[in-house]
């Protein structure tokens, strides 16, 4: 059965709660007390926290894998980069547990208000679906997924390369003492011991009281940086890792759908006579037997140039959310593009009227 669509909001809620909890409960340590150096592993871990909800919407089991990596990476990053997260490193385990639960959650077997199952309605024969001329195209999701992954990896590589280059520049620079002269918005004015004066960007100017001494990294290439706040652009990994996760989820979803459809076509499926309205890009299917179970749902199909038409058709498959179905109209087998979505109950009188027409 199809995963319950609203369940993904639970993953989003847990991820947001973890972020808020970290922001509220993590003690603030000024960079003047502990050098605020680049933390690429921690940045990737935080990025995965954002990527998991996005991936859950696209393909839930790929989101589970991302949550596993997140849960493993956090304690490693905390130990290597000495972030001091303490008990917070266990928070991704909560996200992992919720993501697994959501990935396993499916639509209930009974549709609300219907009073009975959306699966087999009465005794129906089972036959293998007719052979499709071709499987639905997955070129678009594969191209989009590949582009997202490629672009994100290129961005991640460029970010880490630039960060490494600047870190090497800082390591080879001169360290000159200075005195804080003034605060100016997000910058502090400093007077260097060699007589030069500069304004330097800092995280929090109040951490550097006027008159306090600081150390400034200086080189001939124009580097002017507090030694306690070295250059750090690893925050750019947040959108890049999220985009890469979305691309991976798209690729996995495309492959998973293709694999499930092949299995569907290889096995006997329930066969029913239905009424269908074919618009060329989708088919609205109405199932009117038995009398208490009039159903309507839409099958997205490979587009064909034709005017909308209605008439009797044959349905292969169970009319349940998330299941594949094949519709045969006359002798034409329509190629489904994706599993069916919502299955609605319609007034039986309307179903009979449309069947008669």
């Amino acid at each position: 059965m199809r995963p319950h669509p609203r369940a993904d909001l639970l993953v989003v809620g847990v991820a947001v709660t973890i972020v808020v909890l970290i922001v509220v409960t993590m003690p603030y340590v000024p960079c003047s007390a502990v050098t605020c150096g680049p933390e690429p592993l921690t940045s990737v871990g935080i990025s995965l926290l954002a990527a998991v909800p996005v991936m859950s919407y696209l393909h839930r089991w790929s989101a589970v894998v991302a949550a596993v990596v997140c849960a493993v990476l956090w304690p490693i990053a905390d130990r290597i980069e000495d972030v001091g997260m303490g008990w917070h490193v266990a928070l991704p385990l909560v996200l992992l547990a919720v993501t697994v639960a959501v990935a396993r959650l499916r639509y209930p077997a009974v549709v609300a208000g219907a009073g009975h199952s959306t699966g087999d309605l009465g005794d129906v024969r089972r036959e293998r679906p007719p052979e499709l001329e071709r499987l639905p195209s997955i070129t678009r999701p594969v191209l989009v997924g590949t582009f997202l992954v490629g672009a994100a990896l290129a961005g991640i590589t460029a970010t880490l390369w630039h960060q490494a280059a600047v870190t090497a520049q800082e390591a080879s620079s001169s360290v000159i003492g200075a005195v804080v002269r003034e605060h100016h918005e997000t910058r502090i004015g400093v007077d260097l011991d060699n007589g030069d004066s500069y304004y330097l960007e800092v995280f929090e100017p109040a951490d550097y009281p006027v008159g306090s001494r600081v150390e400034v990294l200086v080189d001939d290439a124009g580097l002017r940086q507090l030694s306690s706040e070295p250059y750090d652009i690893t925050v750019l990994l947040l959108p890049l890792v999220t985009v890469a996760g979305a691309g991976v989820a798209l690729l996995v979803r495309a492959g998973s759908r293709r694999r499930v459809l092949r299995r569907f076509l290889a096995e006997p499926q329930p066969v029913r006579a239905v009424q269908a309205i074919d618009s060329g890009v989708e088919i609205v299917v109405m199932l009117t037997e038995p009398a208490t179970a009039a159903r309507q749902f839409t099958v997205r199909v490979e587009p064909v140039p034709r005017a909308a038409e209605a008439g009797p058709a044959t349905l292969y498959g169970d009319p349940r959310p998330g299941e594949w179905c094949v519709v045969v109209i006359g002798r034409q087998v329509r190629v489904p593009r994706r599993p069916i979505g919502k299955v609605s109950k319609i007034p039986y009188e309307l179903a009979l009227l449309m069947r008669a027409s």
Side-chain angles (χ1 to χ4, degrees):
M1 289 185 292
R2 180 172 180 258
H4 198 289
R6 295 191 182 95
D8 300 305
L9 296 177
L10 183 59
V11 180
V12 176
V14 172
V16 171
T17 301
I18 291 176
V19 172
V20 172
L21 189 61
I22 291 175
V23 171
V24 172
T25 63
M26 278 284 288
Y28 173 71
V29 180
C31 294
S32 56
V34 179
T35 299
C36 298
E39 300 164 348
L41 288 179
T42 301
S43 295
V44 172
I46 297 295
S47 302
L48 286 171
L49 192 65
V52 169
V54 176
M55 297 175 71
S56 177
Y57 175 78
L58 297 172
H59 187 265
R60 291 181 179 175
W61 286 108
S62 64
V64 170
V65 174
V68 170
V69 176
C70 182
V72 172
L73 185 59
W74 273 43
I76 295 176
D78 182 62
R79 183 175 183 83
I80 293 178
E81 298 176 347
D82 194 23
V83 181
M85 296 188 70
W87 61 270
H88 296 86
V89 298
L91 292 178
L93 292 174
V94 179
L95 180 65
L96 173 59
V98 172
T99 306
V100 171
V102 168
R104 296 173 60 88
L105 185 62
R106 297 292 185 269
Y107 266 119
V110 176
V111 175
H116 39 69
S117 172
T118 62
D120 291 344
L121 302 175
D123 296 328
V124 296
R125 72 180 191 277
R126 302 179 72 90
E127 296 179 3
R128 281 188 58 176
E131 185 175 351
L132 301 180
E133 294 182 358
R134 56 188 173 85
L135 292 177
S137 173
I138 59 173
T139 302
R140 182 177 178 180
V142 168
L143 288 178
V144 173
T146 301
F147 172 78
L148 292 178
V149 172
L153 290 179
I156 291 171
T157 301
T159 299
L160 295 179
W161 178 85
H162 186 66
Q163 179 63 61
V166 175
T167 299
Q169 180 185 9
E170 291 172 339
S172 62
S173 63
S174 300
V175 180
I176 301 178
V179 176
V180 178
R181 181 182 68 254
E182 62 175 318
H183 294 167
H184 182 70
E185 297 179 350
T186 61
R187 300 180 295 170
I188 60 173
V190 297
D191 295 327
L192 275 64
D193 293 343
N194 63 3
D196 295 333
S197 296
Y198 300 105
Y199 282 100
L200 305 177
E201 292 285 343
V202 295
F203 288 122
E204 180 53 62
D207 294 339
Y208 303 93
V210 174
S212 62
R213 290 194 60 80
V214 294
E215 291 183 339
V216 181
L217 304 177
V218 178
D219 71 358
D220 296 336
L223 176 66
R224 304 292 185 269
Q225 185 78 40
L226 284 181
S227 61
S228 60
E229 298 191 17
Y231 187 77
D232 183 12
I233 60 170
T234 56
V235 67
L236 294 179
L237 296 176
L238 175 58
L240 293 173
V241 171
T242 303
V243 169
V248 170
L250 280 173
L251 291 172
V252 175
R253 184 176 71 174
S256 176
R257 283 184 171 180
R258 176 61 64 89
R259 184 175 61 255
V260 173
L261 178 57
R262 287 183 185 275
R263 187 166 60 244
F264 169 85
L265 296 172
E267 299 174 353
Q269 303 296 335
V271 183
R272 300 179 177 85
V274 296
Q275 292 293 307
I277 301 177
D278 185 2
S279 66
V281 296
E282 65 180 19
I283 301 175
V284 178
V285 179
M286 283 154 287
L287 178 64
T288 59
E289 293 181 0
T292 57
R295 296 285 181 270
Q296 178 176 301
F297 56 93
T298 300
V299 179
R300 297 281 295 182
V301 293
E302 291 287 282
V304 295
R306 64 188 305 170
E309 59 177 296
T314 303
L315 175 72
Y316 292 82
D318 266 338
R320 296 186 297 176
E323 296 291 339
W324 287 91
C325 287
V326 170
V327 180
V328 179
I329 301 178
R331 294 185 177 181
Q332 185 176 20
V333 183
R334 302 305 307 279
V335 179
R337 297 182 60 184
R338 64 186 63 174
I340 65 175
K342 182 180 180 181
V343 178
S344 305
K345 182 180 179 182
I346 62 175
Y348 187 65
E349 294 78 7
L350 176 59
L352 288 179
L353 178 62
M354 300 196 69
R355 177 168 227 177
S357 63

